[in-house]
Every structure is written in structure tokens, then in C-alpha cells.
Amino acid sequence: SKLAFVLAIRPVTCLARGWRRFVMAPLRSALLPACFALAGALDNGVARLPYMGYNTWYDFMCNNINASNVMKLADTLVDLGLDKLGYTYLNLDDCWAVSRDKSTNVVKEDPKAFPDGMKALADYVHGKGLLFGIYTDRGTATCAGRPGSQGFEDVDAKTYAAWGVDLVKEDSCNAEDTPEAASEQYGKMRDALNKTGRPMVFNLCGWHPWYAQKGAGLSNSWRINYDGSNWNAVVVNALTNAAMGGYASPGAWNDPDFLLGSSPGAAVYLTETQSRMQFSLWSVMAAPLIIGSNLLHMSIFDLATYTNMEVIAVDQDPLGTQGAVVWGNCPSLQLPRASKSSAASFDVPNCQQIWAKPLADGGHAVAFINLATGSANVTCDDGCFAKMGYVGGKRPANVRDLWMHSDLSAAGTTISRTLDASGGFALLRFLGGSGPAKVGSGADLARKIVV
């Protein structure tokens, strides 16, 4: 059946971004419980811009998940200077928990892998100037069969707060896969996290486009499709997200999954071209930038990708608007629904798109992408420019290539780019020359998504 979307109402943020700098500690402690007690909404003052960092899953999966490696990851984030660019969340995914205490129900970390406990690990991460994220599941067990949070939301939230956790990713395995059940269960964790008084990013990992409808009331970000574990799945997640822009706003973001690098040492990786296209498009989509590549042995190419400050600036633009498709010839998307693995086997269409994201300075970030198996010439014409507000013959006064780091000649009647096959791309920044931004939210595309 076709999805019917109703725009979620986003509550006014109780404590605005940057509040910690302006509210004295005693007053802050008094305000937090009142702010977080708001019913039916996650209004925690964090993730006002898409959050950035690293997650262990596509790098390690369940192999060698231990405190020693997590500390090495923290050291590496700092040694590579990634923390200075905004990659501050170090997120431990599945395979850390083994049981629950029989008397208190407190979740227990693997004692061999984490001999000093999780709080000591969080303290080490914090000592590096980073933030610490952890993983759970709304079901009876995690996707790897470890203890889930179903029925233990309050005790788990209190435990995470006591450990000093800054982000909670909650998966959706071993749980009823309906909007009603998912909303109820995620709502329990949202409320439990709010009650702790500790601001924690809540990353909802539910695998379906219908999470976007209620996402802003439940979490700081929500997965809009299955795992982006190969090129096919990266593409289907991007095409799905084209319809979801109307649901994203500061503090609440569509999540098309982690960034896959090109380093073959990771459990999952792309080609160099595909990984850089993904990073460019994710920035235009105002998506969380969570590296899933081989961090401990990151290639020079991947490091250059993730440290491109001009592209990061697009993602972190303070306007906080998700980009939308302003030109394209891709067919209506038939979403795979059978299983998590079906997204990975999705047939990538032979098509091209142009995405545009309005920016706070009045300009636009514009991504040209080619999904076809052959090279293609892609042109932004009058209709394309009009959707960005360039009407009546107006064109950008300046055009900059964000990968060549060079200013180009002023835009003519059209702008064309020849793109390589299977992920060829260009990322430009338009400055000046337009009227009010006309880039749509993608709500019109939502009706074309069939599940």
C-alpha cells in the first residue's frame, strides 16, 4: 500500500543549542528534569545539527569488540584530528552486553572484553574530549542475540546515564514490526532517557520509511530504511530519503545509515568513487555523519574524504534543511520489504539526479549524481534552477567546486557535468543571484514510494 504521511509536529526546544554555556550548573540541574518531562516528545536540546562521529558496526561487526580496541579508536579519532572537525561521538554498537543482573536487572557488559566496566571506558573516551555512544534494542534481544531493552527501558536508561553515555542507538530486532508497536516501545525508551535528566542523543534504528512520520516526537534521528551495507543498499536508502525532507529539522534528522569508506580492512566498504559520492550526498541530505570505515587503519583517500571541511560545512549548515531532488530521471521507487537483506539486493536503477540544499547564506549546495553503469552527462536546466529559486533568468553569481576546492566561472543558462559510472558525482556550491529558496521538502515524492 502507498504511504500516507502526516507531517509530525515538532515541539519548541526547551533548552536551545549551546545552553550549557549560558546556564549556571545549579540552575541547569533544576531546569533539566522539568524540560525533559514533556510528554510525547523528545525535547532534549541535543543534535541541533546532524551529529558526527564513528560507529563500530561496519568496521568490526561483532569481532574484537573490547575496551582495548575502543580506547584505540578514541586515540585514533583524536590523533587524526577528526574530533576537531566535529566527529566527536564514538559509538559502540552490538556485542558488548552478555546478561542482566538477576536481582537488579542491570545489563552487564562482557567481563572479559570490558574488565574495568563500561563507566571506566566512557570516562576514558570523555578524557579524550569525545562523547560516548552505546547500543541496545527495543526487542527481547539485540540483532546479535544479546540482551534487549524490552521491559527494561527505565533500568537501562538509568544505567546508561550513570555510565556517562551521550548517545543511545536502539535497534529493532526481535520485536513486533508494526508502526503502533514500534512507536510504543521507542516511546518508552524516549521517556526513560528523558527522566534521567542526562542529555543523550536518541538514535532510533527501525528500518522503515514510516518512522519519519513520528520520528521527531520519538528521537533525534530515525533510520528510514534497512542497513546500508553495500552500494545497492546505499542507493535505495538515498532514494528513499528523497521523500523524507519534510520531516527533518534541527534536533530531528532522517538517518540513511552510516558512511561506508573504501578501506578494505573494514567489514563493509565501497569503491573510492562511491564512498565519496555517499559522503557528498549525505551532507546535502543533512544526515548524521557517522563513519563506519576502518578507523584504525584508515586509507589516505578516506581520510581526505572525511576531512573535507567544505563538504562538512554543507552538512553542518545552521539552516538545518534537508536537500531535495530538483532534477532527475529515476523511476518511482519500489521499496524492498521482505527482509533486511532485500535492500542489499536492490537493483540500482540506471538513472541520474540533481539534489539541492538551501544554505543559511542564501546559496545552495548542489550534488550531481550518476547511478547508472555507464558515464553520463547531467544538466541543470531552467526547471532545475527554478526549483532553487533562480527564476526570471537569474543564476548563481558564483559557483564553487567543493572537491576541486576551486571557484568556477559564473553559471550560464545551464550547468552540466560529465559523471563517471556507478557513483560518479559533482558537488557544487551556488552563491547569490537567487530569490527565496524554492527547494521542496520532497513530500510530493512520498506518494510515489510503494512498500
Side-chain angles (χ1 to χ4, degrees), residues 80-96:
L80 294 177
L82 291 167
D83 60 322
K84 300 297 191 296
L85 300 179
Y87 297 96
T88 54
Y89 285 92
L90 198 171
N91 301 327
L92 178 60
D93 211 278
D94 206 348
C95 304
W96 62 268

Side-chain angles (χ1 to χ4, degrees), residues 62 78 89 95 106 139 144 240 285 336 359 443:
C62 276
V78 174
Y89 285 92
C95 304
V106 170
T240 301
M285 294 192 299
L359 302 174

Side-chain angles (χ1 to χ4, degrees), residues 348-409:
V348 176
N350 280 293
C351 64
Q352 297 78 36
Q353 289 180 328
I354 301 175
W355 289 63
K357 175 182 180 177
L359 302 174
D361 64 4
H364 295 81
V366 183
F368 294 64
I369 65 170
N370 178 27
L371 305 178
T373 54
S375 61
N377 187 270
V378 179
T379 299
C380 185
D381 56 16
D382 282 340
C384 168
F385 277 113
K387 289 183 178 179
M388 289 181 267
Y390 298 100
V391 296
K394 292 182 178 180
R395 290 295 184 265
N398 302 97
V399 179
R400 182 169 176 81
D401 189 308
L402 301 189
W403 285 104
M404 298 298 293
H405 303 294
S406 61
D407 294 323
L408 309 179
S409 58

Side-chain angles (χ1 to χ4, degrees), residues 1-2 24 45 178 195 199 216 247 249 266 273 292 301 303 305 345 347 361 421 433:
S1 61
K2 292 185 177 181
M24 292 183 295
T178 65
K195 285 190 294 184
Y247 302 108
S249 64
T273 297
F301 183 91
L303 184 60
T305 297
S345 60
D347 291 330
D361 64 4

Side-chain angles (χ1 to χ4, degrees), residues 244-266:
M244 306 298 161
Y247 302 108
S249 64
W253 310 103
N254 291 303
D255 177 12
D257 205 8
F258 307 138
L259 296 165
L260 303 183
S262 63
S263 300

